[in-house]
């Protein structure tokens, strides 16, 4: 039997490996990426006249969400509603108006939710506990996508508060919300 040299084995195997390598390589299917951009906008400030009995109740205080604000923001940025792919709140602040120089010492927690009809509302911002001496509350955001709720045209804001001290029977506040809209191009 004739001995096969190492160089002849390499000479035979290398081309076979090369063919096998190219034959086994996958052709990758590239998914078409749709570019997405986002822009931020502020919703009109909501004046809130709080009756302590109502806002602390199990259903909270219902406020109307200005559905035209999103349409106006889209138009101002040259987009149409069909391009929307998502919407999240980016700002939630509660300012006290009256009593003058009032503080939120009597408030234990605040929750801002968004809901439609009788479905359970989704929490979009909250603060618990409320720091003593606060005249303005910066609420923490949940980051939940609320586009489907807003698109319904019947979305409502639910403001809920829990109290831990003497509460003025009436007070006025300003709820300021900001949002980010994602649009596909």
């Amino acid at each position: 039997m004739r001995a096969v040299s190492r160089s002849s084995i390499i000479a035979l195997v290398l081309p076979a490996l090369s063919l096998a390598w190219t034959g086994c390589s996958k052709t990758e299917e590239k998914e078409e990426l749709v570019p997405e951009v986002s822009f931020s906008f502020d919703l009109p400030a909501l004046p809130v006249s709080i009756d302590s009995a109502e806002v602390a109740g199990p259903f909270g205080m219902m406020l109307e969400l200005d559905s035209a604000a999103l349409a106006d923001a889209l138009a101002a940025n040259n987009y149409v509603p069909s391009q929307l792919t998502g919407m999240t709140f980016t700002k939630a602040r509660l300012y006290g108006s009256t009593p003058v120089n009032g503080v939120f010492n009597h408030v234990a927690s605040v929750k801002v939710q968004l809901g439609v009809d009788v479905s359970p509302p989704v929490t979009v911002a909250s603060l618990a506990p409320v720091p003593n001496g606060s005249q303005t509350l910066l609420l923490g955001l949940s980051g939940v996508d609320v586009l489907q709720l807003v698109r319904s045209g019947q979305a409502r804001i639910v403001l809920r508060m829990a109290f831990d001290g003497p509460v003025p029977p009436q007070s006025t506040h300003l709820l300021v919300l900001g949002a980010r809209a994602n649009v596909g191009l």
Side-chain angles (χ1 to χ4, degrees), residues 81-172:
S82 63
Q83 290 178 287
L84 277 171
T85 60
M87 181 179 155
T88 55
F89 284 99
T90 58
K91 174 176 44 175
R93 296 184 179 137
L94 188 63
Y95 298 95
S97 299
T98 61
V100 176
N101 295 327
V103 291
F104 288 96
N105 288 350
H106 57 283
V107 179
S109 66
V110 176
K111 193 180 286 186
V112 175
Q113 299 177 309
L114 194 66
V116 175
D117 297 328
V118 294
S119 63
V122 175
T123 300
V124 295
S126 61
L127 180 62
V130 172
N132 274 340
S134 299
Q135 291 182 317
T136 299
L137 301 181
L138 304 174
L139 307 176
L141 302 164
S142 68
V144 66
D145 188 346
V146 295
L147 178 60
Q148 295 309 317
L149 295 171
V150 173
R151 270 197 172 144
S152 74
Q154 300 171 357
R156 68 187 187 291
I157 295 173
V158 180
L159 179 63
R160 295 184 183 183
M161 290 182 172
F163 300 104
D164 65 357
V167 179
Q170 291 280 330
S171 59
T172 58

